[in-house]
Amino acid sequence: IFFRVTRNLILLGSIGGTCYALGQIEYIEDPEGFERKTINALLNQEGVKQMLSVDEDRNMRRDAYFQTGGASSAYVFDAQKEKAVGVDADNPIWVTGEKAQKVFKRIKLSSQEVLRATVRDIENVIKENEESASGENAALLLLLREELFILKAKQAHLSRPWKIIVTDNELPNAYVNGFLPRRIFLTKGLLQEFCITDEELALVLSHELSHFLLGHTKDILMINAVAQVIAVSLISIIDPTGGLASFIMELAVPWFGTALGASFSREQEHQADNLGFQ
C-alpha cells in the first residue's frame, strides 16, 4: 500500500509540475492571450453570453468609440459573435461597469491610504525598538519585519492596474479568481438585486479586494491541491486496479475539496469583512 501511494503521489507531482511549467511558459509568451483564454474558460462554465472588461483608469466612452468604430457610445463583448457589439447606454452590463469603475477608484485610493499609514506606523515601531538588543525585542522585530514585507507586497499589487469584469449573469455575485490576479468579477444581477447604492457596491468590492490582498485566492488553490493529493492516496489504498471505487472517488473530489475548505472559508470571510470595512 505504501509503495502504491508513494508511486501515485510522485506521478501526480510530476504531472502537476509539468503543467505548472507549461502554464508559466504560456503566460510569459502571451500574457494577454493567457488571460483571455482563462477568462473565457471561467465564463463558459457559467454560460455567460455577454461580458464587459473595464480598466479602472480608462475612459469607457472612448473605448466604446474605438470598439464599435464610432457607431455607439456603449458596448459589450458578445461571446457567441466573439467581438464587441454596440448597445444602448442604459444596458445593465454597461451601467454596472460604469458604476463599478467609479466606486472601485475610490476604494483603491482608500486602501492605499490605509496601507501607507500602517506601513509608516510599523516602520516607526521598528525604528524605536532597533536600539534594544533584548531577546524579546528581537522576536518582536522579526515579526514586524515579516508583517512589513507582506504589507509592501500588498502595496505593490494595489499600485498596478486592476480590471472589473461584468457578466450578464442574473444571479447577484462577485468574486476573485486565483488564476487572474487584479481582476474582480461582478454580475449584472448584483446591482439590479443587491447593490442599489454606491455604498453597498463599495462594501462588496472592498470585500473582494480584501480576499485578494489577504491571499485567500491562493489558499483556495492550495486546498484544492490538497484535496487532489488525499483523493489519489485513498484511491491507491481502496482500489489499486482503477475500477469502480476509483471512478467514485474522482467524482467525489470536487465535493471533498469544498468540504475541506468550508472550515477555512468562514474565517476568510470574516477577515475580508474586517479589512474591507477599513
Side-chain angles (χ1 to χ4, degrees):
I1 292 175
F2 175 78
F3 175 75
R4 289 200 304 268
V5 172
T6 304
R7 180 192 60 193
N8 287 339
L9 289 179
I10 292 175
L11 179 61
L12 181 64
S14 299
I15 295 173
T18 302
C19 292
Y20 178 75
L22 290 174
Q24 284 187 314
I25 293 172
E26 183 180 0
Y27 179 79
I28 292 171
E29 290 179 344
D30 185 10
E32 293 183 359
F34 177 83
E35 178 184 337
R36 185 167 55 252
K37 185 185 298 184
T38 305
I39 290 176
N40 288 341
L42 185 63
L43 298 184
N44 283 338
Q45 293 177 356
E46 302 179 13
V48 170
K49 296 180 180 178
Q50 291 185 334
M51 55 84 69
L52 177 67
S53 180
V54 180
D55 292 308
E56 61 164 295
D57 55 356
R58 290 178 65 90
N59 187 310
M60 291 179 62
R61 299 288 178 175
R62 184 178 58 195
D63 284 349
Y65 178 86
F66 287 111
Q67 289 285 352
T68 64
S72 178
S73 61
Y75 79 99
V76 298
F77 182 81
D78 192 299
Q80 295 178 334
K81 297 180 180 179
E82 297 186 349
K83 67 176 184 179
V85 296
V87 294
D88 295 333
D90 60 353
N91 180 279
I93 300 176
W94 180 262
V95 172
T96 300
E98 281 191 313
K99 189 172 183 179
Q101 184 192 53
K102 179 184 68 174
V103 173
F104 183 78
K105 287 180 181 179
R106 175 161 57 91
I107 292 170
K108 184 176 177 179
L109 287 174
S110 299
S111 300
Q112 289 172 319
E113 291 174 3
V114 170
L115 284 176
R116 277 195 297 267
T118 306
V119 166
R120 186 169 56 249
D121 291 342
I122 292 179
E123 288 176 336
N124 289 337
V125 174
I126 291 175
K127 187 175 181 180
E128 293 171 358
N129 287 271
E130 277 180 333
E131 299 178 359
S132 174
S134 67
E136 183 178 343
N137 276 8
L140 174 62
L141 285 173
L142 180 61
L143 291 174
L144 288 174
R145 289 193 177 103
E146 289 178 355
E147 180 66 19
L148 186 62
F149 177 80
I150 294 172
L151 288 173
K152 287 188 175 181
K154 293 177 181 178
Q155 282 185 310
H157 279 302
L158 275 178
S159 66
R160 299 176 67 180
W162 283 66
K163 286 185 179 181
I164 300 164
I165 298 173
V166 185
T167 71
D168 62 356
N169 198 325
E170 299 286 350
L171 295 175
N173 194 19
Y175 58 93
V176 289
N177 185 279
F179 290 109
L180 295 164
R182 296 177 300 281
R183 305 292 183 268
I184 298 180
F185 291 81
L186 302 176
T187 65
K188 70 176 184 180
L190 183 70
L191 266 70
Q192 292 177 323
E193 305 292 339
F194 186 71
C195 296
I196 307 301
T197 66
D198 285 359
E199 288 71 22
E200 291 170 336
L201 179 58
L203 180 60
V204 172
L205 288 174
S206 61
H207 177 91
E208 299 306 325
L209 177 62
S210 297
H211 273 308
F212 180 79
L213 294 177
L214 291 168
H216 293 165
T217 51
K218 293 181 180 179
D219 292 342
I220 292 173
L221 294 177
M222 184 60 68
I223 289 171
N224 289 334
V226 171
Q228 292 283 353
V229 169
I230 294 175
V232 169
S233 301
L234 291 176
I235 289 172
S236 302
I237 296 171
I238 297 173
D239 188 9
T241 64
L244 179 61
S246 298
F247 177 71
I248 295 174
M249 284 297 300
E250 289 172 4
L251 292 178
V253 166
W255 298 95
F256 182 70
T258 301
L260 186 64
S263 59
F264 299 97
S265 179
R266 184 176 300 175
E267 179 61 25
Q268 288 179 345
E269 293 301 321
H270 286 315
Q271 292 174 357
D273 283 338
N274 290 335
L275 182 58
F277 277 120
Q278 294 179 35

